Every structure is written in structure tokens, then in C-alpha cells.
Amino acid sequence: MTKSQGGRGSGSNYNQPSQDGHFGVFGGRFVAETLTAALDELADLYSRMQTDGEFLRELDHDLAHYVGRPSPLYFAERLTNQLGGARVYLKREDLNHTGAHKVNNTVGQALLAKRMGKPRVIAETGAGQHGVATATIAARLGLECDVYMGQEDVERQSLNVYRMKLLGARVIAVQSGTRTLKDAINEALRDWVTNVDTTHYIIGTVVGPHPYPMLVRDFQSVIGREARSQILAAEGRLPDLLVACVGGGSNAMGLFYPFIDDVDVRMIGVEAAGHGLSTGEHAAPLNDGTIGVLHGNRTYLMQDADGQIMPTHSISAGLDYPGVGPEHAYLKDIDRAEYAAATDEEALEAFRFLNRTEGILPALESSHAIACAMREAPRLAREAIMIVNLSGRGDKDIPTVARRDGISL
Amino acid sequence: MQQVGTRKMLVTFITAGDPDIQTTVPAMHALVAGGADVIELGIPFSDPEADGPVIQAASERALAAGTHFSDVLAAVTEFRRKDNATPVALMGYLNTIESQKDFASRAEIAGVDALIMVNLPPEAAEEFRQRHAGPKLDLIFLVAPTTVERRITTIAQAASGFLYYVSFKGITGADRLAVDEVAAKVAIIRQKTSLPVCVGFGIKDGATAAQVAKIADGVVVGTALVRIMAETEGGPVAIADALQKRAADFRAAIDS
């Protein structure tokens, strides 16, 4: 945390967010008054923990011995050769315990919950990866755990639902609104406001009210810190391009943030274009959204002229969210990062391609990043270096892909 | 927004457009006829994160019936044709107001008196006034059981109209009211402000309303009324009748 490149207090030119949690005009803390005290408590504790040797040692220990870090930075040689352009490296977050980057954040936040003496944690989940990562760490620390999940996601991610139950968590299917990730967040916020004395809300991505976007980014920045030193060791220089998928955007922030001052490193976040950006049936607010306030922060949203949040579509439950982390909104507006999109079809093609060229099964979320890499690599010189964040593994998505092939497992 | 003499304020909440926009204006008049001093008109929103299931369902009904924000303002305009006295406060979430062009002037022309923004922190009040609310509308802020004393002062300075004390940690419509705790907190709030202090959340019947009226300047009733909107059959007239009776019950209880 404290050692991050481009982080606070590191002499960085980039000093975001402000004290009150703003990234330019984005971010902030727009919540029901009842939650203010808990957010203050969390921000104060987090600020103290950044110089707390014992906390940092415990975090480093858990990341090394429980999560299995560092994750490899793998040179995808066959993929590179087939694409015929830039050298493509994959940051293997899929090899973490529980199979995705989500656990980097839950390990950190669970340690904060422990410090606050809160015996219960709650989480929202879309694809189920964050729910599994939260249930996992709750099991290990002996915390009570409830996970909110939209009914539609419960149905399409049944494997992860059962997995959470095996871990001792209660999975609460959310029936309100569009019955997906955004509604799960609403319901988690309602739970938190009710049980705030005993409960810590482990938000799974870089959204929500301050300090969450900062805190989740910082815990996920272990991805970029490792990738930075790994690529320097492997290639002797920084990469030309970073690519990561963006739903809320935590794996992308985690990869991007330690490179933020390296202005020659391009960054592309890849949103879910669903059936195509022109159809309106997608989950790409940075490409096709407008600024508004949802879930405690100001950011780009999929909304209508009355500010009603619109239904989104993506084949990947983890990207199926109408908002995006406020820091991504900021990076877009200052032109530090670019935001592309990949359709369901492109993601599926990338999913199959990576399986066959490298023997790696990516999550459908991460497949959006692979799809962008397949587009970008051939446009770049053979000396160029690209790092793609392989944010999670795709076991959970096998039934979805099989169904599209007409196979019922 | 003033108390009428010494009588305690009865603040009543319904969601605009629930179950359809034709019901809204008759419902507002009925609440006044039953004894309401202030109408809180909820703006239906797709993601009402601070509301319980009853008011969430009201939003969903209103949106399903095709209610737009312009309909909400039109309802206030129509209400004002017969009632130019009863204050009307719009209650909802920031995203609605921020999406509207010329919100302040349109709201003033319609006859809106105040705004209650569930997710507007007092720190952002001034910017919100400049960009959206304008100088004339009262901004009513919520104070929670978890609000520390220093912050009550900040909120009181940003607020006008009245202060809305949220009686417990939770969402609208929950059943967790503890009158002694509310009394203690209201006493602290009174030291920080001369604004009237109204108490809401969890006031489900005459008995709870009467208890709260003894310690506060007013009571806010929402879920108990919205339930009537959901459960009464027979269209706008039947709903208005039922609302008037229920409002009268609350009126009698807090005046007792």
C-alpha cells in the first residue's frame, strides 16, 4: 500500500482523490446520513493502517501465503505469434486463491473489519467472484457473512452460489429492480444502514462512497506493483500498453495505478459492449453514458433523461453494471486512460482463442480484455510490450458458454 | 415552513405517480383534508437505496405507470390550483434533480417549497444550491442516530425549513422505534438549531405518532400511508378517502 508507485506520499504528480474523496468532479460521498459515521470510521482507520507495521505485515503475509502472491506475469508466446504484433504478457490473477483478483481486496478489507471489531461482513456480487472471495476470507477469520446477489445472477452463476454456501455464507437473492449487480448493491447498502454497528460492508470494486474507491484501488494495486517490477525484470523496460476489463473497474485500477506517473505507458480499459454499443444493450457507461450520482459517488452512468438508471446487458455478470468507478471517469476525462469496449461475441471469441492458443481458461469478464488485446496487438510493432490483466479464471462460465453452443452440462 | 400555532406538524409522504399520476393530486388534497401540515412528495427513482420494500415498490409502481419527472412537477402545479398554503417538499435522490435542466425555476413555478435529498451531504449543499436548487427552495436535511454532535451543527447550518431526524438506523418502514433514544437525541439537536425538528422512520400508527409528537415538533409518516396506496382498491377516489381517514387518525393522535 505505502510502497505503491504513483501513490500518495510517493512524490507522485497524481494525487487523487482529494481529502474528501473527489477525483476531479467525480467520486465524493453521497449517502444516507446514517452511514457517514461508519465511512468516517473506515477512512480514519485506513489512514492509520497505512503506517501500521503490524497491519502491513499481516496483509503481506496473507497475500503471500493465503492468496499465493505474487501472481506470475506470463509471456504468452503462442498468442503473441498468432497475433503477429506486440509481445503479450498476461498478469495471472486467475491463479490467485479463489480464482480472481477479488481476493486481494477482501483480504485487506477483512483485516480492517477485524480491527474495527465488527463480527459480520456483507458483500454484493455479480458474477459471484467477489462473493466467493468475501465468503472465503470470512470463513478463515470466523466472521459471519451475508452476500447479496441479484436473482438473475443467482441463476446464471449457480456454481459460485453453491460455493459460497459451502464456505458458510448466506446468499440472499435480490428480487428488486433489474435483479442484477446494481440491485445487489442497493440491498447491501440497506443492510449496512440497518446493521452498521456490527457489520462492515466489503464493497468489491472501486465504486461506492469515499473511501471505498480509494481503498479498493489501493488493495488491488498489488497487481500493478508486481507487474511493474516483473516486466522490468523480464524485459528491462516498462510496457507500452496495459489492458484490463472494466465493470466497476477494480482489476483495471489495480493494474493501472502503479503506472499512473509513467506517462508513456498507454492504458486501455475495456467495457462490455454487450450486443453492440449502437444497440443500447450494453454496460459501457464510459463509452456511451452520462454523468450522474449512484451508489454514493458521481461518475458516468447508463441513465435516461430523467436520471433513471437503465437496464444493462453483458454476457458477463461481473461487467453487467450501469456505473463505473469514479477514478476511471476521471482518467477518461483527463485523457490518461482510454476506454474501449468488446461485444459479447468478441469476448466469446477471445475466450475460445485463449483456451486453444495458451491452454488458459479466462473468465468471460477477462475475455473482454483479451478481445481488446487481439485487436491492439497486430497494430503494434513486434518490439512493443503489452500487459493484459487476466483478472479471473473461467470455470464459472463454462455452463454459460456451453449453453450458447447448445450443450447442456 | 412554519408550525401552525403550537400544534405539532404532521408531515405526510406519498410517492408521486403511485399507482398512477391521476391518483397523486387527489391523494395530496386528501392528506391535507385529513390534517397534514406538509406534503412530502416522493420522486420515483429506479434505485432507492435508502428505502424499505414498501416505498421501493411505490417507486416501481410509479415508474411502471410511466411517471416522468415532468409529471411530478405537473402534479404540484395542479395541487396549487386549489391549495396555495400547504407546503410541498419533493423528496428523492440526487440523480433525479441533477438530470433536470432549469430545475430550480421549474420547481418554483410549480409551487414546490422544499427539497429533501436523501443522499445529499451537508458539505455539498452550497454547490447543490448553486448548480441545481437555487436560493429559494428550503433544503431539508436528515440527521441520524449516528450523526456526531459536531456534524449536527454543520447540518443545521446547511438546512432550512425543518430538520428531519431519522429515528433509527435503518431504512424507511422498519419497526425499530425507541422513543427514549429519540428523545435524548432530539434534545441534543435542539441545542444546535432553532429550526423545528420533525421525526420520521418507523411511525406506523397513532400510538407511536403520539409518543413522538410529545418530544418533537412534528412527525413524518410515510410507509404507513404508502401501504394504503398499494392496498386500496377502487381507484383515486377510494385511495383519497382511505388516505384522508388515516391522516385524520394520525392528526388526532398527535393532537391528543
Side-chain angles (χ1 to χ4, degrees):
Chain A
M1 259 186 313
T2 46
K3 290 160 280 187
S4 77
Q5 304 286 334
R8 290 182 149 199
S10 64
S12 167
N13 296 319
Y14 179 88
N15 199 10
Q16 302 288 339
S18 64
Q19 201 63 37
D20 60 357
H22 283 89
F23 303 87
V25 302
F26 301 102
R29 185 190 279 178
F30 302 96
V31 291
E33 173 60 22
T34 306
L35 293 179
T36 299
L39 292 166
D40 280 341
E41 179 191 15
L42 181 61
D44 288 351
L45 173 74
Y46 178 63
S47 152
R48 277 185 283 120
M49 287 306 105
Q50 297 193 52
T51 53
D52 184 300
E54 196 189 318
F55 178 85
L56 296 173
R57 266 193 304 281
E58 210 175 338
L59 179 62
D60 285 348
H61 177 274
D62 284 0
L63 289 174
H65 298 281
Y66 191 64
V67 176
R69 304 204 70 91
S71 67
L73 183 70
Y74 166 73
F75 175 53
E77 192 172 3
R78 275 196 84 221
L79 182 73
T80 295
N81 290 339
Q82 295 217 10
L83 295 176
R87 297 166 64 76
V88 180
Y89 284 82
L90 303 177
K91 181 60 173 163
R92 298 292 306 274
E93 292 299 301
D94 59 316
L95 295 178
N96 293 337
H97 179 43
T98 71
H101 72 289
K102 293 292 185 187
V103 70
N104 301 326
N105 168 48
T106 60
V107 161
Q109 285 205 48
L111 290 178
L112 293 176
K114 213 171 91 177
R115 295 270 164 150
M116 288 186 283
K118 294 190 170 176
R120 176 174 179 259
V121 292
I122 55 171
E124 84 293 341
T125 198
Q129 292 302 103
H130 175 58
V132 166
T134 304
T136 296
I137 199 69
R140 176 163 174 259
L141 296 179
L143 301 170
E144 190 187 337
C145 178
D146 286 340
V147 178
Y148 290 92
M149 190 168 189
Q151 175 66 35
E152 190 175 317
D153 295 333
V154 167
E155 284 159 21
R156 59 181 166 176
Q157 303 286 343
S158 54
L159 197 65
N160 273 340
V161 172
Y162 185 61
R163 199 167 158 200
M164 286 183 265
K165 290 177 182 167
L166 286 175
L167 290 159
R170 200 157 61 113
V171 178
I172 302 163
V174 177
Q175 309 288 352
S176 59
T178 57
R179 313 197 305 171
T180 59
L181 179 56
K182 81 171 174 71
D183 309 286
I185 296 178
N186 290 336
E187 211 54 41
L189 285 167
R190 291 174 189 131
D191 180 316
W192 198 31
V193 89
T194 305
N195 301 299
V196 63
D197 294 336
T198 59
T199 298
H200 174 61
Y201 178 16
I202 301 186
I203 292 187
T205 187
V206 288
V207 303
H210 178 67
Y212 281 106
M214 169 181 82
L215 185 152
V216 177
R217 172 198 72 191
D218 290 354
F219 284 135
Q220 290 294 358
S221 289
V222 67
I223 301 171
R225 283 200 305 278
E226 286 176 6
R228 200 172 188 283
S229 62
Q230 287 166 323
I231 200 72
L232 287 173
E235 294 276 359
R237 69 174 183 89
L238 292 174
D240 300 286
L241 178 61
L242 307 175
V243 178
C245 66
V246 175
S250 69
N251 89 78
M253 269 327 301
L255 177 64
F256 292 176
Y257 186 56
F259 292 92
I260 212 111
D261 281 336
D262 303 316
V263 291
D264 293 332
V265 179
R266 272 177 76 202
M267 303 168 171
I268 303 181
V270 188
E271 295 193 302
H275 293 140
L277 288 179
S278 62
T279 66
E281 292 173 12
H282 57 74
L286 290 170
N287 280 277
D288 188 32
T290 52
I291 296 172
V293 175
L294 180 69
H295 295 150
N297 67 96
R298 179 169 286 114
T299 188
Y300 283 92
L301 300 173
M302 306 276 300
Q303 57 181 331
D304 69 14
D306 263 359
Q308 306 295 354
I309 307 306
M310 304 210 301
T312 51
H313 167 78
S314 170
I315 190 172
S316 94
L319 302 183
D320 206 350
Y321 179 66
V324 63
E327 193 163 12
H328 286 297
Y330 177 69
L331 293 178
K332 171 191 158 79
D333 276 18
I334 65 167
D335 287 325
R336 178 63 189 92
E338 303 156 46
Y339 291 89
T343 63
D344 290 354
E345 285 303 325
E346 289 168 324
L348 279 164
E349 191 190 328
F351 176 93
R352 296 174 200 281
F353 191 65
L354 194 67
N355 267 289
R356 292 191 180 176
T357 53
E358 294 288 351
I360 294 173
L361 170 68
L364 281 174
E365 289 78 14
S366 322
S367 299
H368 288 71
I370 303 292
C372 176
M374 289 165 64
R375 214 184 289 156
E376 291 294 325
R379 297 177 187 164
L380 298 172
R382 285 174 185 274
E383 311 79 64
I385 301 167
M386 174 191 302
I387 297 177
V388 183
N389 203 5
L390 195 67
S391 55
R393 69 176 184 228
D395 306 56
K396 69 183 175 60
D397 296 312
I398 291 174
T400 301
V401 177
R403 253 197 312 278
R404 292 190 60 116
D405 285 343
I407 298 165
S408 123
L409 298 175
Chain B
M1 220 166 279
Q2 292 298 320
Q3 283 172 270
V4 184
T6 55
R7 93 170 185 176
K8 298 295 173 88
M9 290 160 73
L10 174 60
V11 181
T12 55
F13 173 96
I14 55 170
T15 298
D18 172 28
D20 52 46
I21 200 69
Q22 289 73 31
T23 305
T24 301
V25 176
M28 292 166 79
H29 288 306
L31 291 169
V32 176
D37 299 302
V38 177
I39 303 285
E40 271 183 23
L41 193 58
I43 308 166
F45 183 48
S46 54
D47 291 79
E49 66 201 22
D51 283 301
V54 173
I55 293 178
Q56 286 172 49
S59 255
E60 291 190 6
R61 283 192 297 272
L63 293 174
T67 307
H68 290 282
F69 184 70
S70 55
D71 301 322
V72 179
L73 287 185
V76 178
T77 305
E78 196 189 327
F79 175 75
R80 283 279 173 252
R81 292 206 185 103
K82 285 191 195 161
D83 187 335
N84 225 340
T86 309
V88 173
L90 296 184
M91 183 164 189
Y93 295 80
L94 273 175
N95 205 48
T96 304
I97 305 303
E98 294 199 358
S99 71
Q100 297 298 314
K101 270 213 172 82
D102 304 322
F103 167 78
S105 58
R106 288 164 61 204
E108 284 163 25
I109 290 166
V112 174
D113 300 281
L115 269 181
I116 308 175
M117 291 285 100
V118 177
N119 56 349
L120 175 67
E123 294 83 359
E126 198 171 317
E127 191 185 344
F128 179 70
R129 269 203 183 285
Q130 285 171 12
R131 285 173 182 265
H132 303 287
K136 291 183 187 158
L137 296 178
D138 281 331
L139 287 186
I140 294 164
F141 280 85
L142 290 85
V143 177
T146 53
T147 306
V148 296
E149 286 200 33
R150 192 179 63 244
R151 192 171 165 81
I152 295 175
T153 307
T154 308
I155 294 174
Q157 283 165 356
S160 48
F162 63 84
L163 276 183
Y164 185 145
Y165 180 63
V166 175
S167 67
F168 53 75
K169 295 166 218 162
I171 50 179
T172 52
D175 189 6
R176 318 177 66 176
L177 186 67
V179 176
D180 291 350
E181 289 170 27
V182 173
K185 194 78 175 192
V186 168
I188 294 169
I189 297 170
R190 284 197 196 286
Q191 292 169 9
K192 313 277 183 191
T193 183
S194 54
L195 290 170
V197 180
C198 296
V199 174
F201 282 39
I203 298 174
K204 57 178 180 177
D205 53 22
T208 45
Q211 288 177 317
V212 169
K214 287 193 175 61
I215 53 173
D217 300 306
V219 299
V220 186
V221 183
T223 296
L225 299 171
V226 172
R227 242 184 248 286
I228 289 175
M229 312 288 290
E231 291 167 2
T232 308
E233 290 174 6
V237 175
I239 289 175
D241 281 352
L243 281 178
Q244 182 174 339
K245 285 199 189 89
R246 195 84 167 104
D249 290 345
F250 280 110
R251 178 83 262 163
I254 65 176
D255 289 344
S256 64

